[in-house]
Amino acid sequence: TALPAAHPLASGRTAQSPLVRALRGDRPETLPVWFMRQAGRSLPEYRELRVGTQMLDACLDPELSSEITLQPVRRHRVDAGIFFSDIVVPVKLAGVGVEIVPGRGPVLDAPLRTRDDIARLEPLDPAALQPIAEGVERTVQELGETPLIGFAGAPFTLAAYLVEGGPSKDHIRARTLMHADPETWDALMTWAADTTGAFLRAQVLAGASAAQLFDSWVGSLSLSDYTRLVAPYSARALSHIDGLDVPRIHFGVGSGEVLAAMRDVGTDAVGVDWRIPLDEASRRLGGRTVVQGNIDPALLQAPWSVLEAHVRDVVERGRAAPAHVLNLGHGVNPDTDPTVLTRIVELAHTL
Ligand code: CP3
């Protein structure tokens, strides 16, 4: 398959956008900027719209998911929307009992720990992804020349939630399982790769002009465990969009040790957290990979003069890479003043 002819990228609508150009290794006149978690609780219009609707129900309502995706694009004039959804949406659509508990994150009805728990996982019926495709279609119609980023959780980050049953600090049970029972680990990670891969594919086919794989919790892994027991499944997840020519971004938190290995699963750009400066990240990537990041989200709460100096420094260091997409080093905190985000966009567009 190729992208449908009417797809925003295939039809040329988003092909010259600063985001797509930068992800393809170019330096467009304006530095593209967007923010992880740009849609969400930092926006009063989001909080208002979400009243009375559970997080995952909002994700499965195409009208709501589309409107919430558009809110930060209208407000901040960022260079991309990111589809409002969650990494556990495809897990839920495959029949696993999971909810998102406000202030905590994804929590399962029951953790999946034994061989039998994992053998009972069902494949995701592609028809269940219809509300996602519809949400994306509505969104890209409104976005026009602004690209939409589709995303999915990487298999390891999903497995960390599935095995632990919820958020955890070091993902100890998941990391034990990969060594204690490699066969069960393989079954779990294969299921996670195909489930999350189908979710990503649905967004790309429906109109996303870029795809970001979030391996948020990759920082708890050694390089050798990552390379042997995790990376092959991330590659498998991405293989679901093989042949669909959209640029790919791969992001993790605490990923300094595994940056190049994350690039090597088959992505065009690497998202860097706030712990290593972009010139150092670029050095670790051999100077040949587009980088995305890495404003420290903590500085969003600092006085503007401090934040501005930091943003300028991030942009300066980003020049070490072939191209740069400005972003945070992780998501927007709910207590961030959204006017600060707008100001960063204005600044980035003058640099
Ligand atoms: O604006 C965007 O970035 C798009 C939407 C998006 C959400 N989750 C919405 C959301 C994206 C890309 C995600 C991905 C996601 N979800 C990741 C990877 C990115 C990252 O932050 O590392 C992870 C690890 C999750 C799991 C998850 N879901 C967490 C940790 C939380 C936060 C819990 C909390 O309340 O602090 C969620 C819930 C969630 N996902 C919210 C949003 C806007 C908050 C829910 C709410 O508003 O009630």
Side-chain angles (χ1 to χ4, degrees), residues 34-41 46 50 55 82-88 100-106 151 157 161 214 216-217 251 253 330-331 334:
W34 66 280
F35 305 107
M36 293 186 277
R37 288 281 164 87
Q38 62 189 20
R41 285 171 296 176
Y46 168 82
R50 273 286 319 282
M55 172 67 191
I82 179 157
F83 185 57
F84 179 79
S85 195
D86 195 82
I87 59 169
V88 296
I100 290 182
V101 178
R104 261 194 88 199
F151 77 92
T157 291
Y161 285 110
F214 283 96
S216 299
W217 309 141
F251 168 79
V253 179
H330 199 187

Side-chain angles (χ1 to χ4, degrees), residues 154 211-215 226 234 238 248-252 259 261-272:
Q212 176 155 327
L213 193 67
F214 283 96
D215 210 349
Y226 179 73
S234 300
L238 287 169
R248 303 166 174 194
I249 313 161
H250 199 179
F251 168 79
L259 273 186
M262 287 180 76
R263 186 254 331 269
D264 293 341
V265 306
T267 56
D268 304 286
V270 170
V272 181

Side-chain angles (χ1 to χ4, degrees), residues 19 23 31-38 78-82 149 212 214 249 292 295 325-328 345:
L19 179 91
L23 291 176
L31 179 67
V33 52
W34 66 280
F35 305 107
M36 293 186 277
R37 288 281 164 87
Q38 62 189 20
V78 278
D79 293 282
I82 179 157
I149 300 168
Q212 176 155 327
F214 283 96
I249 313 161
Q292 176 175 278
I295 299 168
V325 174
L326 185 62
N327 203 313
L328 306 177
V345 176

Side-chain angles (χ1 to χ4, degrees), residues 66-276:
S66 170
E67 176 57 23
I68 294 173
T69 303
L70 294 165
Q71 285 178 341
V73 182
R74 290 193 199 111
R75 181 195 265 261
H76 303 308
R77 304 193 168 277
V78 278
D79 293 282
I82 179 157
F83 185 57
F84 179 79
S85 195
D86 195 82
I87 59 169
V88 296
V89 164
V91 169
K92 187 180 174 87
L93 293 176
V96 175
V98 57
E99 282 310 327
I100 290 182
V101 178
R104 261 194 88 199
V107 176
L108 274 81
D109 296 350
L112 308 178
R113 295 202 179 141
T114 66
R115 180 169 295 228
D116 285 350
D117 291 340
I118 285 152
R120 276 194 293 270
L121 288 168
E122 301 272 1
L124 171 59
D125 174 3
L129 291 164
Q130 186 49 34
I132 303 305
E134 206 180 312
V136 168
E137 280 162 15
R138 279 173 174 268
T139 308
V140 298
Q141 246 158 40
E142 296 287 323
L143 279 174
E145 291 175 9
T146 303
L148 178 71
I149 300 168
F151 77 92
F156 173 70
T157 291
L158 286 175
Y161 285 110
L162 295 169
V163 177
E164 304 288 344
S168 63
K169 197 161 160 278
D170 297 314
H171 326 300
I172 291 283
R173 287 190 183 88
R175 289 195 297 111
T176 300
L177 181 66
M178 64 172 74
H179 293 283
D181 186 349
E183 256 178 60
T184 300
W185 181 251
D186 175 66
L188 172 62
M189 291 290 277
T190 300
W191 178 87
D194 291 341
T195 304
T196 208
F199 175 63
L200 190 61
R201 179 180 176 82
Q203 294 167 69
V204 170
L205 281 175
S209 292
Q212 176 155 327
L213 193 67
F214 283 96
D215 210 349
S216 299
W217 309 141
V218 78
S220 68
L221 296 167
S222 68
L223 177 58
S224 78
D225 284 355
Y226 179 73
T227 307
R228 203 163 54 85
L229 297 164
V230 170
Y233 303 96
S234 300
R236 181 177 175 123
L238 287 169
S239 74
H240 285 256
I241 57 166
D242 279 355
L244 303 175
D245 188 21
V246 299
R248 303 166 174 194
I249 313 161
H250 199 179
F251 168 79
V253 179
S255 58
E257 300 299 319
V258 296
L259 273 186
M262 287 180 76
R263 186 254 331 269
D264 293 341
V265 306
T267 56
D268 304 286
V270 170
V272 181
D273 86 348
W274 67 92
R275 288 177 180 85
I276 47 172

